[in-house]
Amino acid sequence: MTTGTYPDYLRRLGLTDPGAPSAEGLFALQRAHLERIPYDNVDIHLGRPPGIDPGLSARRFAEGRGGYCFHLNGAFAALLEDLGYDVTRHLSGVEAEDGSRVVNGQHLTLTVRVGGAAYWVDAGLGDGPYEPLPLREGSYEQGGFRYALRRLDPMEGEGPGWSYLTPDSGMHRVNFRDAPAEMADFEEAHTWLSTSPDSSFVRTFALFRRDADGVDILRGRVLSRRSGGGKVTAERELAGRREFFEVLEGVFGRRLDDLTGADREVLWARVDEAHRAWLASRAEKAEKAEEEAAAVS
C-alpha cells in the first residue's frame, strides 16, 4: 500500500497514481525513471558529490536533478518499497573482462518480486534496458537492443549470483550476488568513485537518458545518440558554453537552477579543458599511427 512518502518524486516521473504493485506498474515506473531522471555526475565535477541516502536522492530528483547508480537505484528501491513492491538490493559491479565472476561492489542493482515473478531492475546504468528483465537465464531484446542474463557461479567466500550481458555495448557485463545488501554497504565505494582522481566518474563528465528508441549520451562536449544494436545514429561536438547548458536541460531534462553563475563557469571550464586534452591526445595517437604505417610501407 502506498504511504505517500514520495509525492514530488512521483510527480517528476509523471506517475502521480501508479496503482497497486503489478508487473505492468513496475515496467511503467522504470520506463518513466529512465526517461525523466538522467544519469549524471554534474555535482561530482563541481567537487560536491551528494550523499547516497535515498531520501536525499528522492528530494534531489523531485527538484530536477539526476545522479549515478547509488542515487538512482537507491532512491528507486525506496520508492518501490513505499509503493508496496518486494525489493532486494544487491552488491554489484560493472566488469569489462569477458567471463569475469568478480563483484567489486561499485554498482547497486535491484531485484523485484511481484505477481509471483522476479525481475532484474536497474535504473542506474545510464544505457541499460528500458524495462525490467525476467530474473531467469535467457536472451532478451527491447527495441533492437540485445541483453542476456546468465547464472554466475560462486567464488570462494561468495554465493551464486547473476551476470547481465550486453552484446551491443562496450560494457561487457554487470555481475551481482544473490545475497541482499544495505545502502551502508555502498558508502565506501561511493566515496572513492565520487572523489578519487583515478575514478572515471571524476575524470569524465557524462550524462545519459534512455527512452524506448535509444540512448542520448553526453561525454564531455560530444553529444551522441545510440540506437539498437549499439549503432551510433548521430554524433556532434557541442559548439560552446551556451549550447552545453541548453543540452543539459533540453535533451537530458537536468534542471540547472541549483547552479550559480560561478558554478557554471567552473563546470564549463573543467569540461572544456578535458575535451581539449582528449582532442590533443586523439590527434597525437593518429599522428603516431600514420608514422608507424609510413615506416612499415
Side-chain angles (χ1 to χ4, degrees), residues 118-256:
Y119 297 92
W120 179 76
V121 173
D122 204 314
L125 286 169
D127 59 353
Y130 186 52
E131 297 177 330
L133 299 180
L135 190 64
R136 59 174 181 265
E137 288 197 302
S139 298
Y140 305 94
E141 183 173 328
Q142 294 179 3
F145 288 85
R146 296 181 300 152
Y147 310 108
L149 284 175
R150 299 286 184 266
R151 259 319 213 169
L152 181 65
D153 293 334
M155 294 179 66
E156 185 176 352
E158 297 181 337
W162 293 86
S163 285
Y164 154 75
L165 309 171
T166 55
D168 301 325
S169 172
M171 181 187 68
H172 296 287
R173 63 175 55 220
V174 175
N175 293 338
F176 70 96
R177 297 294 172 188
D178 290 344
E182 303 293 336
M183 288 305 297
D185 297 327
F186 302 96
E187 288 286 356
E188 184 176 349
H190 167 62
T191 298
W192 188 88
L193 290 171
S194 61
T195 63
S196 172
D198 296 326
S199 166
S200 62
F201 294 94
V202 174
R203 295 197 311 267
T204 305
F205 180 82
L207 280 88
F208 293 79
R209 191 197 67 86
R210 181 76 159 91
D211 58 38
D213 301 316
V215 189
D216 295 309
I217 304 167
L218 179 63
R219 285 193 176 96
R221 284 177 54 187
V222 178
L223 176 65
S224 61
R225 173 76 177 177
R226 194 167 70 223
S227 62
K231 181 180 179 181
V232 176
T233 55
E235 184 171 277
R236 64 187 175 89
E237 179 181 320
L238 301 185
R241 180 181 184 277
R242 179 176 177 178
E243 186 181 21
F244 172 77
F245 287 108
E246 287 176 347
V247 164
L248 261 61
E249 283 196 301
V251 175
F252 295 94
R254 207 287 187 185
R255 287 180 58 181
L256 303 175

Side-chain angles (χ1 to χ4, degrees), residues 276-296:
R276 292 177 187 277
W278 172 72
L279 289 175
S281 175
R282 189 173 66 167
E284 183 179 346
K285 289 178 181 178
E287 183 178 354
K288 184 177 180 180
E290 289 179 2
E291 291 174 351
E292 291 175 348
V296 171

Side-chain angles (χ1 to χ4, degrees), residues 32-55:
H33 212 285
L34 291 167
E35 289 182 356
R36 292 172 176 253
I37 301 179
Y39 178 109
D40 86 54
N41 59 0
V42 170
D43 289 286
I44 289 175
H45 279 258
L46 287 170
R48 57 185 191 211
I52 60 172
D53 173 74

Side-chain angles (χ1 to χ4, degrees), residues 253-275:
R254 207 287 187 185
R255 287 180 58 181
L256 303 175
D257 54 357
D258 61 323
L259 304 186
T260 66
D263 289 335
R264 293 182 183 230
E265 291 296 335
V266 168
L267 184 59
W268 169 250
R270 178 166 182 164
V271 170
D272 187 50
E273 180 182 6
H275 180 73

